[in-house]
Every structure is written in structure tokens, then in C-alpha cells.
């Protein structure tokens, strides 16, 4: 069996480092925030090229706090993409705002910047581009539109650790950037975790208070906040993993290039790295005419695959109140019906990439 993702394989490569880091925290008796989390914040901010990083318990919490700090509130509208994990829209809903969807660029799977301006209304307060699958959205026009209309740009970089656009790291272009450290991410914790990066001193101060019950010092609550603090063990583990992230990213890129080469004449459409961007390949999603048949065929041959994402957010029952239906965002719907994620992770052998590619190239699954 070639698994879609093998977290245990990564653990095996750095087991002594991880266990030493976790044991250090266990012996310290400081299990929430603390020195390890503060060190992670400093190191991750430096990695992203920002002044601040605020560690939280999930990527969803990172989005939630970023929206609050940007001044988004009940009744406001936030523009984003329908082709994303539901957490992007959920964070907007948490504060009583309305997600306003804009269709995607069918090549990059990211929000189509050419369609954003027509979605802006007097209630629009922010744009949340999602750097889907590890490739950044087209940020220059997005930032220009935001500046023209006085809107905040909050990057959903939960799948894009280390991705770049014009040489700038994900998270560093908007007023803030949000990352998830869910175990399957390119930089994943051994549990839940998230972080916000920003260059804005006031926003950083506000989000630090918001994640810790709104207090600026112990038992002094200056605003209504949340219990969104990061566990110290996760901070320590992520510090270890951050030191390996660039090597892991290059391993992903090597495997993505090999897939791209081997599948050049296969009956699938391979994803592309846009000019001026560094794709970090959180997911390698091909497009196929008959996804169900291909997925079934690969599984029968011992290859696991993934679906990211089979139902766009605007067609999810949870968001039926927005009033959307089939056909509203055709590019997102077409992607949702055709994408299939192939195995890709740093420890995946090049031989396994070749095996998967050879299977995909076979015509046996095509109906």
C-alpha cells in the first residue's frame, strides 16, 4: 500500500529531537504558552519575514482573531473563495459577518482576482484569499483592489507554509496571515495548533489579548476574549519541525516535479506552479474526467488518494442560508467534481511516485 500521507514516517526521521523537546516541556511543569511558545513565535515570524507571530490553538482560531482585529463585525461582508475547507467561511460566520464568494481561477484553484471588485458592496470589510494546496493567490491585484476600497486583506495560508509570491513569504503581504499546524500540514504539530503573523503592532497586541481571555496581564481583562492558547508541547514540537521545513519543502517540490514530468501525457490535467510563485505542494491535485473510477482503480492497486474538496462551501448544507445553488460558481464546482489528490509527502520514495504515475497513465480506469 502506498498511503496518501504517512505521518509516522516523518516522526521516525526526527524521533529523538521530538521526544527530547516534549520531555523538556513535561519536566518544566509549564504546559500552556510559556518559553517554548514564545520562542516559536519569534522563529516563525522571522521565517515569514514579519514583525510578530501569535500562536493559537488552531488555524480556525487564527482566522477568527484576525478578522476581529481587522475590525470585521456583525453584518459586515467578507470576500473569499467557495473552494476551500469550510473553516475559512466558519471563521467569518463566527463574528456574525457574511461570507461573499468569488469564483476561482481554474488553473491555480485560487480566488479569481479579476472577479473580486464586482463582489464589493458598502458592507464589505475584508478579503480573505486562500492559498490553496500550497500555492499563493494572485496577491498584487488583490492588494490593489483592497487599497482602492479600504479593505483589509487577511491571508488564509493554512496550507502554504513557506510558499512565496514575488519572493515574499505567505502571510507577509496582508494585514495578517493565518496558518494551521494540523498534523497533516506541511508544518504539522502532534495535535492541534495555529499561528497568526502580522507586521502591525496594535493588531498583534490585540490578538495576544484575545487568545488569552482578553487579558493584558493576569486577571486584568480589558476585552472579551477566548481560550485560544497554544499548548507548550506543541510549541516545542513545532520549533523542532520548523528547522526541517525547508528541506521537507524541497523534497515535496522534487516529487511534484517528477509527477508533472511523468504525467505529461497522462489522461489527467496536472496542477501548475504559476509564474513568480513558489508552490509548496501541500496537495498535488490532478483533474480527471472520471474521478470515482480513477480513485477506485488506484485503491485496488494499493494507492490511497484524497479529495480536496468534493463539495464547495456554497453548496454545503451548513451555508444554505446564503441562498446559493448549483451553477453559481462554475469553476469552483467543476474543480470540486474533478480533482483527485495523489500521494505526496517528503518521505514518499521517488520509486513510489513512479509507480503512482504509471498507474494513473493506464487507460483501464477510463470509462
Amino acid at each position: 500500500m502506498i498511503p496518501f500521507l504517512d505521518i509516522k514516517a516523518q516522526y521516525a526521521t526526527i524521533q529523538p529531537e521530538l521526544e527530547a523537546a516534549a520531555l523538556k516541556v513535561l519536566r518544566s511543569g509549564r504546559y500552556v504558552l510559556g518559553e517554548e511558545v514564545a520562542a516559536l513565535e519569534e522563529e516563525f515570524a522571522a521565517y515569514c519575514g514579519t514583525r510578530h507571530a501569535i500562536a493559537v490553538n488552531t488555524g480556525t482560531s487564527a482566522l477568527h482573531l484576525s478578522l476581529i482585529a481587522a475590525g470585521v463585525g456583525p453584518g459586515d461582508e467578507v470576500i473569499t473563495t467557495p473552494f476551500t475547507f469550510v473553516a475559512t467561511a466558519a471563521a467569518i460566520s463566527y463574528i456574525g459577518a457574511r461570507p461573499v464568494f468569488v469564483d476561482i481561477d481554474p488553473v491555480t484553484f485560487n480566488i479569481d482576482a479579476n472577479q473580486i471588485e464586482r463582489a464589493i458592496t458598502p458592507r464589505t470589510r475584508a478579503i480573505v484569499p486562500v492559498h490553496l494546496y500550497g500555492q499563493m493567490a494572485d496577491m498584487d491585484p488583490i492588494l490593489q483592489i483592497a487599497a482602492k476600497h479600504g479593505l483589509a486583506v487577511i491571508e488564509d495560508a493554512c496550507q502554504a507554509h513557506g510558499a512565496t509570491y514575488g519572493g515574499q513569504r505567505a502571510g507577509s503581504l496582508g494585514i495578517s496571515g493565518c496558518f494551521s499546524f494540523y498534523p497533516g500540514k506541511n508544518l504539522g504539530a502532534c495535535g492541534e495548533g495555529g499561528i497568526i503573523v502580522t507586521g502591525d503592532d496594535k493588531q498583534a497586541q490585540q490578538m495576544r489579548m484575545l487568545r488569552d481571555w482578553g487579558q493584558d496581564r493576569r486577571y486584568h481583562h480589558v476585552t472579551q476574549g477566548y481560550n485560544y492558547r497554544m499548548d507548550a508541547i506543541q510549541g516545542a514540537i513545532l520549533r523542532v519541525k520548523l528547522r526541517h521545513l525547508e528541506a521537507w519543502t524541497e523534497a515535496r517540490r522534487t516529487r511534484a516535479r517528477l509527477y508533472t514530468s511523468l504525467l505529461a501525457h497522462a489522461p489527467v490535467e496536472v496542477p501548475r506552479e504559476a509564474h513568480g510563485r513558489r508552490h509548496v505542494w501541500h496537495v498535488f491535485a490532478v483533474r480527471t474526467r472520471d474521478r470515482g473510477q480513477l480513485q477506485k482503480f488506484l485503491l485496488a492497486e494499493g494507492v490511497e488518494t484524497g479529495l480536496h474538496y468534493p463539495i464547495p462551501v456554497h453548496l454545503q448544507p451548513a451555508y444554505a442560508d446564503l441562498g446559493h445553488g448549483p451553477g453559481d460558481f462554475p469553476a469552483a464546482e467543476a474543480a470540486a467534481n474533478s480533482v483527485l489528490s495523489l500521494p505526496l509527502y517528503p518521505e514518499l520514495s521517488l520509486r513510489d511516485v513512479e509507480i503512482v504515475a504509471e498507474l494513473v497513465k493506464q487507460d483501464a480506469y477510463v470509462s
Side-chain angles (χ1 to χ4, degrees):
M1 177 66 69
I2 298 176
F4 174 69
L5 177 65
D6 191 348
I7 294 175
K8 292 189 291 185
Q10 183 186 86
Y11 171 72
T13 66
I14 55 172
Q15 180 178 349
E17 294 176 80
L18 287 181
E19 292 182 355
L23 186 58
K24 180 181 176 183
V25 173
L26 291 173
R27 288 173 172 168
S28 75
R30 183 74 184 272
Y31 301 147
V32 179
L33 296 178
E35 294 179 359
E36 291 292 336
V37 173
L40 171 67
E41 291 174 332
E42 182 177 345
E43 292 161 7
F44 196 77
Y47 178 78
C48 292
T50 60
R51 286 171 55 84
H52 305 281
I54 303 93
V56 291
N57 59 342
T58 67
T60 309
S61 298
L63 288 164
H64 184 198
L65 297 190
S66 289
L67 288 161
I68 295 172
V72 180
D76 291 339
E77 294 178 353
V78 178
I79 292 173
T80 191
T81 167
F83 193 54
T84 180
F85 184 61
V86 71
T88 309
I92 297 167
S93 301
Y94 285 173
I95 54 179
R98 177 185 175 89
V100 174
F101 299 121
V102 167
D103 211 352
I104 63 169
D105 173 355
V107 176
T108 66
F109 301 110
N110 285 320
I111 191 169
D112 185 347
N114 294 320
Q115 298 187 47
I116 289 176
E117 200 156 18
R118 72 186 71 165
I120 296 173
T121 75
R123 291 187 174 184
T124 307
R125 294 291 176 268
I127 304 171
V128 179
V130 178
H131 304 324
L132 197 73
Y133 296 165
Q135 177 159 234
M136 291 182 66
D138 193 3
M139 291 300 293
D140 280 349
I142 292 172
L143 292 168
Q144 290 167 8
I145 292 167
K148 176 181 176 181
H149 294 275
L151 307 176
V153 175
I154 298 166
E155 298 175 64
D156 183 337
C158 288
Q159 299 181 9
H161 314 69
T164 64
Y165 179 95
Q168 292 182 270
R169 285 260 167 87
S172 68
L173 282 80
I175 188 65
S176 62
C178 304
F179 295 84
S180 167
F181 296 135
Y182 187 76
K185 303 294 186 182
N186 292 27
L187 179 61
C190 293
E192 297 275 11
I195 205 164
I196 310 154
V197 295
T198 183
D200 188 289
D201 295 347
K202 290 184 178 179
Q203 287 221 352
Q205 181 182 18
Q206 183 182 6
M207 289 187 285
R208 288 188 192 281
M209 289 191 297
L210 286 170
R211 72 166 176 192
D212 190 16
W213 292 115
Q215 56 187 349
D216 63 355
R217 58 186 184 275
R218 191 165 177 80
Y219 299 133
H220 190 258
H221 303 269
V222 298
T223 189
Q224 294 182 17
Y226 306 87
N227 183 10
Y228 283 173
R229 299 169 296 197
M230 176 179 279
D231 290 346
I233 286 180
Q234 302 306 337
I237 285 168
L238 288 163
R239 290 186 67 202
V240 171
K241 289 192 170 188
L242 181 58
R243 297 196 290 268
H244 297 274
L245 180 57
E246 280 302 297
W248 290 339
T249 298
E250 288 308 312
R252 286 177 177 272
R253 288 173 57 79
T254 295
R255 283 144 184 80
R257 284 192 295 267
L258 182 56
Y259 267 137
T260 299
S261 174
L262 295 173
L263 296 175
H265 302 293
V268 296
E269 181 181 337
V270 297
R272 305 180 212 170
E273 181 177 64
H275 177 71
R277 299 179 222 184
R278 183 203 192 202
H279 202 318
V280 296
W281 299 106
H282 174 59
V283 167
F284 191 93
V286 300
R287 300 182 74 154
T288 176
R289 289 172 295 173
D290 195 333
R291 178 176 62 200
Q293 282 294 105
L294 176 55
Q295 187 174 38
K296 182 180 178 181
F297 170 73
L298 290 175
L299 185 59
E301 296 294 327
V303 177
E304 293 181 343
T305 55
L307 296 179
H308 303 88
Y309 298 94
I311 305 174
V313 180
H314 71 284
L315 297 181
Q316 295 284 356
Y319 287 90
D321 64 308
L322 296 179
H324 296 299
D328 284 358
F329 305 101
E333 292 169 34
N337 289 327
S338 63
V339 292
L340 183 68
S341 303
L342 302 181
L344 195 155
Y345 48 93
E347 300 78 21
L348 181 68
S349 74
L350 297 181
R351 178 57 187 150
D352 281 349
V353 173
E354 293 172 349
I355 292 171
V356 174
E358 285 300 317
L359 290 169
V360 172
K361 284 158 62 175
Q362 292 184 22
D363 292 330
Y365 62 87
V366 179
S367 59

PDB file of all heavy atoms in Angstrom, residues 34-46:
ATOM      1  N   GLY A  34       4.124  29.950  27.510  1.00  0.00           N
ATOM      2  CA  GLY A  34       5.445  29.766  28.104  1.00  0.00           C
ATOM      3  C   GLY A  34       6.594  30.004  27.124  1.00  0.00           C
ATOM      4  O   GLY A  34       6.412  30.495  26.007  1.00  0.00           O
ATOM      5  N   GLU A  35       7.791  29.609  27.550  1.00  0.00           N
ATOM      6  CA  GLU A  35       9.011  29.928  26.810  1.00  0.00           C
ATOM      7  C   GLU A  35       9.053  29.267  25.438  1.00  0.00           C
ATOM      8  O   GLU A  35       9.516  29.879  24.458  1.00  0.00           O
ATOM      9  CB  GLU A  35      10.241  29.518  27.616  1.00  0.00           C
ATOM     10  CG  GLU A  35      10.426  30.305  28.900  1.00  0.00           C
ATOM     11  CD  GLU A  35      11.643  29.848  29.696  1.00  0.00           C
ATOM     12  OE1 GLU A  35      12.324  28.900  29.243  1.00  0.00           O
ATOM     13  OE2 GLU A  35      11.916  30.440  30.745  1.00  0.00           O
ATOM     14  N   GLU A  36       8.613  28.033  25.333  1.00  0.00           N
ATOM     15  CA  GLU A  36       8.690  27.335  24.052  1.00  0.00           C
ATOM     16  C   GLU A  36       7.769  27.981  23.014  1.00  0.00           C
ATOM     17  O   GLU A  36       8.148  28.127  21.846  1.00  0.00           O
ATOM     18  CB  GLU A  36       8.340  25.854  24.218  1.00  0.00           C
ATOM     19  CG  GLU A  36       9.372  25.058  24.981  1.00  0.00           C
ATOM     20  CD  GLU A  36      10.684  24.911  24.233  1.00  0.00           C
ATOM     21  OE1 GLU A  36      10.693  25.017  22.990  1.00  0.00           O
ATOM     22  OE2 GLU A  36      11.723  24.688  24.889  1.00  0.00           O
ATOM     23  N   VAL A  37       6.583  28.360  23.426  1.00  0.00           N
ATOM     24  CA  VAL A  37       5.653  29.002  22.506  1.00  0.00           C
ATOM     25  C   VAL A  37       6.180  30.383  22.108  1.00  0.00           C
ATOM     26  O   VAL A  37       6.123  30.762  20.929  1.00  0.00           O
ATOM     27  CB  VAL A  37       4.246  29.099  23.116  1.00  0.00           C
ATOM     28  CG1 VAL A  37       3.324  29.932  22.224  1.00  0.00           C
ATOM     29  CG2 VAL A  37       3.659  27.701  23.313  1.00  0.00           C
ATOM     30  N   ALA A  38       6.717  31.132  23.068  1.00  0.00           N
ATOM     31  CA  ALA A  38       7.288  32.447  22.755  1.00  0.00           C
ATOM     32  C   ALA A  38       8.446  32.319  21.765  1.00  0.00           C
ATOM     33  O   ALA A  38       8.586  33.136  20.837  1.00  0.00           O
ATOM     34  CB  ALA A  38       7.756  33.137  24.031  1.00  0.00           C
ATOM     35  N   ALA A  39       9.272  31.295  21.935  1.00  0.00           N
ATOM     36  CA  ALA A  39      10.387  31.074  21.016  1.00  0.00           C
ATOM     37  C   ALA A  39       9.888  30.700  19.626  1.00  0.00           C
ATOM     38  O   ALA A  39      10.439  31.149  18.607  1.00  0.00           O
ATOM     39  CB  ALA A  39      11.318  29.998  21.565  1.00  0.00           C
ATOM     40  N   LEU A  40       8.848  29.861  19.571  1.00  0.00           N
ATOM     41  CA  LEU A  40       8.258  29.514  18.277  1.00  0.00           C
ATOM     42  C   LEU A  40       7.747  30.766  17.578  1.00  0.00           C
ATOM     43  O   LEU A  40       7.955  30.939  16.362  1.00  0.00           O
ATOM     44  CB  LEU A  40       7.113  28.526  18.471  1.00  0.00           C
ATOM     45  CG  LEU A  40       6.270  28.261  17.207  1.00  0.00           C
ATOM     46  CD1 LEU A  40       7.081  27.526  16.150  1.00  0.00           C
ATOM     47  CD2 LEU A  40       4.999  27.487  17.553  1.00  0.00           C
ATOM     48  N   GLU A  41       7.079  31.636  18.318  1.00  0.00           N
ATOM     49  CA  GLU A  41       6.549  32.862  17.727  1.00  0.00           C
ATOM     50  C   GLU A  41       7.673  33.696  17.106  1.00  0.00           C
ATOM     51  O   GLU A  41       7.553  34.198  15.985  1.00  0.00           O
ATOM     52  CB  GLU A  41       5.800  33.666  18.783  1.00  0.00           C
ATOM     53  CG  GLU A  41       4.507  33.005  19.238  1.00  0.00           C
ATOM     54  CD  GLU A  41       3.842  33.723  20.397  1.00  0.00           C
ATOM     55  OE1 GLU A  41       4.555  34.378  21.189  1.00  0.00           O
ATOM     56  OE2 GLU A  41       2.611  33.615  20.522  1.00  0.00           O
ATOM     57  N   GLU A  42       8.753  33.841  17.818  1.00  0.00           N
ATOM     58  CA  GLU A  42       9.879  34.626  17.315  1.00  0.00           C
ATOM     59  C   GLU A  42      10.477  33.980  16.059  1.00  0.00           C
ATOM     60  O   GLU A  42      10.765  34.662  15.065  1.00  0.00           O
ATOM     61  CB  GLU A  42      10.945  34.748  18.400  1.00  0.00           C
ATOM     62  CG  GLU A  42      12.140  35.595  18.004  1.00  0.00           C
ATOM     63  CD  GLU A  42      13.140  35.767  19.130  1.00  0.00           C
ATOM     64  OE1 GLU A  42      12.785  35.466  20.293  1.00  0.00           O
ATOM     65  OE2 GLU A  42      14.282  36.192  18.846  1.00  0.00           O
ATOM     66  N   GLU A  43      10.643  32.677  16.107  1.00  0.00           N
ATOM     67  CA  GLU A  43      11.269  31.976  14.981  1.00  0.00           C
ATOM     68  C   GLU A  43      10.362  31.929  13.750  1.00  0.00           C
ATOM     69  O   GLU A  43      10.834  32.072  12.617  1.00  0.00           O
ATOM     70  CB  GLU A  43      11.659  30.562  15.425  1.00  0.00           C
ATOM     71  CG  GLU A  43      12.789  30.554  16.444  1.00  0.00           C
ATOM     72  CD  GLU A  43      12.891  29.257  17.240  1.00  0.00           C
ATOM     73  OE1 GLU A  43      12.150  28.294  16.916  1.00  0.00           O
ATOM     74  OE2 GLU A  43      13.695  29.214  18.188  1.00  0.00           O
ATOM     75  N   PHE A  44       9.053  31.751  13.963  1.00  0.00           N
ATOM     76  CA  PHE A  44       8.151  31.679  12.817  1.00  0.00           C
ATOM     77  C   PHE A  44       7.959  33.051  12.191  1.00  0.00           C
ATOM     78  O   PHE A  44       7.840  33.170  10.959  1.00  0.00           O
ATOM     79  CB  PHE A  44       6.803  31.072  13.221  1.00  0.00           C
ATOM     80  CG  PHE A  44       5.980  30.630  12.046  1.00  0.00           C
ATOM     81  CD1 PHE A  44       6.288  29.455  11.379  1.00  0.00           C
ATOM     82  CD2 PHE A  44       4.904  31.381  11.601  1.00  0.00           C
ATOM     83  CE1 PHE A  44       5.544  29.037  10.278  1.00  0.00           C
ATOM     84  CE2 PHE A  44       4.148  30.980  10.510  1.00  0.00           C
ATOM     85  CZ  PHE A  44       4.470  29.810   9.850  1.00  0.00           C
ATOM     86  N   ALA A  45       7.927  34.102  13.009  1.00  0.00           N
ATOM     87  CA  ALA A  45       7.852  35.456  12.459  1.00  0.00           C
ATOM     88  C   ALA A  45       9.067  35.750  11.591  1.00  0.00           C
ATOM     89  O   ALA A  45       8.946  36.309  10.489  1.00  0.00           O
ATOM     90  CB  ALA A  45       7.738  36.476  13.587  1.00  0.00           C
ATOM     91  N   ALA A  46      10.237  35.355  12.056  1.00  0.00           N
ATOM     92  CA  ALA A  46      11.453  35.549  11.267  1.00  0.00           C
ATOM     93  C   ALA A  46      11.389  34.755   9.971  1.00  0.00           C
ATOM     94  O   ALA A  46      11.803  35.242   8.910  1.00  0.00           O
ATOM     95  CB  ALA A  46      12.673  35.141  12.087  1.00  0.00           C
TER      96      ALA A  46
END
